[in-house]
Amino acid sequence: MRPARLVLRPFAVPLARPSYGRHVNPRLISTVSSRASAAAAAAVAQPQEQLPDHLPPFPAAGPHPIAVPTRSRESSPADAARTLRDAVSALQPRNDWTREEITAIYDHPLMDLVHQASLVHRRFHKPSEVQLCTLMNIKTGGCTEDCAYCAQATRYQKGTGLQAKKVETVETVLAAARAAKENGSTRFCMGAAWRDMRGRRTSLRNIADMIRGVRALGMEACVTLGMIDGAQARELRDAGLTAYNHNVDTSREFYPSVISTRTYDERLQTLAHVRDAGIHVCSGGIVGLGETATDRVGLLHTVSTLPAHPESFPVNALVPIKGTPLGDREPIDFTSMLRTIATARIIMPATIVRIAAGRKTMSEEKQALCFMAGANAIFTGEKMLTTECNGWDEDKDMFDRWGLEPMRSFDKSPPPNELS
């Protein structure tokens, strides 16, 4: 065990503090463990270019400012430790990760992995700040897809008993958005059970009105509508859309085991349309589908090697729904969820990592571990599409007990960068 301790000891040593001139944020923190993050935060505090009103600044992945070796294959524990050390020391996101590098991070001893992820989190984010999002199903059921986890697929309707409904009215949606804002949510997400938006001109116009209404409330607006093309993405952008959610769900290799009606590349093409339109990309996955750890690494590799990292990365734990093909699957162990969150935080340091479906089954202590590992967003409210969600009052009490605070709309606080 002694050699292993010697290899890992540098992780706990504060990084040397470089000088970054006048772009230093004077905010103060009092935790010794964030000395490294304090020094590095100034490196990413570069002047923001002026962005359109609908799109708040977000640090995109770009050329890495320091040398980080990219290895095609890990050959020893020392190499694996060096991969993690390089990742934890990084001052900016990078998007040239290899699967071997991500595997080395994912497989690291869990308690230290959470600790290292926490250091990265403090470098790029205010550690006590958590984004509160509310998700509304604006069009329930009737979907022609065959996603094995989803109750909204028409082909599973007999087993699930879920009845398809028409699109909600603009007034109904905005009333729900106002209620969410009054309860502290700052991002309002709207989901519709469609394969794509072809032939839905009227619905798209109504959704654009919903987006404008949500933005008028001072909230961030996110939608998930299935596949969209470039023109549809631009129409949503012009309405003021903040983010578009389109999960890749799992690894490319395991994906056909879960879905056959939409290809992996079609999902990636939708993300490209969203990104090209200048809308923030929200894309994550689901753990507990029956995938292996290798598949979870594959999921992380897909999103972390996109041309720019997603602005937000939702991590869902499968909620088995009776009547779907995965309705009898046993819940995944919590450690796999925690490893996925911690690894995501390390390899996509500036991204918002969201605990999404499955949080209802977690104790507060498990949720706190997720926040320590770098999660900084949750869904809160009455419902999450067709499954139960933690309520606003419940989450307010949890925030009070654990010293957490809501993230402001369009204004993710910079990390503190000075010791008191």
Side-chain angles (χ1 to χ4, degrees):
M1 294 300 294
R2 185 173 182 81
R5 287 197 298 272
L6 290 174
V7 169
L8 295 178
R9 186 167 296 167
F11 296 169
V13 176
L15 299 176
R17 183 177 180 81
S19 174
Y20 296 106
R22 63 184 181 87
H23 301 300
V24 174
N25 190 317
R27 302 186 63 164
L28 303 179
I29 57 174
S30 58
T31 54
V32 175
S33 65
S34 56
R35 184 183 299 271
S37 57
V44 296
Q46 301 298 321
Q48 297 280 358
E49 66 175 298
Q50 189 64 35
L51 295 175
D53 178 67
H54 71 279
L55 187 59
F58 174 72
H64 202 270
I66 57 177
V68 175
T70 301
R71 292 172 292 279
S72 61
R73 186 174 184 84
E74 297 298 342
S75 58
S76 71
D79 286 338
R82 188 161 48 248
T83 293
L84 179 58
R85 183 175 63 245
D86 290 342
V88 172
S89 300
L91 303 181
Q92 275 191 301
R94 50 174 285 214
N95 55 357
D96 61 348
W97 295 100
T98 67
R99 288 199 179 208
E100 291 78 14
E101 288 175 315
I102 298 172
T103 298
I105 295 169
Y106 184 93
D107 287 343
H108 189 73
L110 183 56
M111 288 303 292
D112 194 56
L113 176 63
V114 170
H115 172 65
Q116 302 303 329
S118 177
L119 296 180
V120 174
H121 186 59
R122 289 172 177 272
R123 184 170 304 136
F124 286 84
H125 306 267
K126 186 176 180 181
S128 62
E129 195 171 67
V130 178
Q131 184 186 62
L132 296 176
C133 313
T134 294
L135 174 59
M136 179 182 183
N137 208 349
I138 63 172
K139 197 281 177 187
T140 302
C143 183
T144 59
E145 301 277 44
D146 68 350
C147 306
Y149 51 79
C150 185
Q152 301 197 77
T154 300
R155 67 192 66 206
Y156 310 138
Q157 183 174 319
K158 184 176 180 180
T160 63
L162 184 74
Q163 298 299 314
K165 299 179 181 178
K166 294 182 179 180
V167 183
E168 299 283 353
T169 64
V170 174
E171 293 75 17
T172 300
V173 171
L174 295 184
R178 282 190 290 270
K181 181 181 180 181
E182 290 169 1
N183 281 282
S185 293
T186 57
R187 178 177 286 200
F188 191 73
C189 307
M190 295 161 276
W194 287 318
R195 169 180 164 77
D196 55 42
M197 292 299 293
R198 289 181 299 178
R200 305 187 194 279
R201 291 297 307 160
T202 300
S203 293
L204 190 59
R205 285 194 296 269
N206 288 339
I207 290 168
D209 288 339
M210 295 172 192
I211 292 167
R212 282 187 280 266
V214 171
R215 290 298 308 274
L217 294 173
M219 302 179 77
E220 299 179 21
C222 177
V223 297
T224 178
L225 310 171
M227 292 184 289
I228 57 173
D229 59 29
Q232 291 162 345
R234 291 189 292 274
E235 186 170 344
L236 294 169
R237 174 203 63 197
D238 293 343
L241 186 66
T242 307
Y244 193 94
N245 168 258
H246 199 64
N247 293 333
V248 295
D249 285 351
T250 187
S251 70
R252 179 181 288 275
E253 294 78 11
F254 189 69
Y255 182 88
S257 302
V258 182
I259 303 161
S260 69
T261 52
R262 185 190 318 184
T263 69
Y264 209 68
D265 286 325
E266 284 176 318
R267 288 185 181 264
L268 295 178
Q269 185 61 60
T270 291
L271 297 184
H273 291 318
V274 171
R275 187 170 54 247
D276 292 345
I279 301 169
H280 284 332
V281 169
C282 172
S283 186
I286 307 172
V287 299
L289 298 171
E291 79 287 349
T292 64
T294 300
D295 293 309
R296 290 189 283 278
V297 167
L299 161 68
L300 291 162
H301 181 258
T302 294
V303 294
S304 66
T305 57
L306 291 171
H309 290 169
E311 177 256 0
S312 51
F313 176 72
V315 183
N316 299 272
L318 176 70
V319 178
I321 300 173
K322 294 294 184 183
T324 65
L326 296 178
D328 295 323
R329 182 162 292 282
E330 290 295 317
I332 193 169
D333 60 284
F334 172 70
T335 58
S336 296
M337 181 84 168
L338 189 61
R339 281 188 183 278
T340 303
I341 288 171
T343 305
R345 170 51 66 224
I346 291 171
I347 66 175
M348 297 183 289
T351 293
I352 292 174
V353 178
R354 183 172 297 112
I355 315 174
R359 186 169 71 92
K360 185 69 176 175
T361 65
M362 292 184 192
S363 66
E364 277 196 15
E365 292 78 9
K366 288 181 176 179
Q367 293 178 62
L369 272 173
C370 291
F371 296 135
M372 289 181 64
N376 58 343
I378 56 174
F379 280 114
T380 183
E382 297 174 351
K383 200 88 170 172
M384 191 179 158
L385 297 181
T386 63
T387 61
E388 295 301 313
C389 187
N390 303 63
W392 288 296
D393 290 341
E394 178 184 352
D395 285 329
K396 287 175 185 175
D397 291 343
M398 178 179 70
F399 274 37
D400 288 343
R401 280 189 287 270
W402 293 90
L404 301 173
E405 58 185 283
M407 186 183 295
R408 298 183 295 276
S409 292
F410 307 106
D411 193 15
K412 182 175 76 67
S413 299
N417 66 354
E418 292 287 349
L419 291 176
S420 58

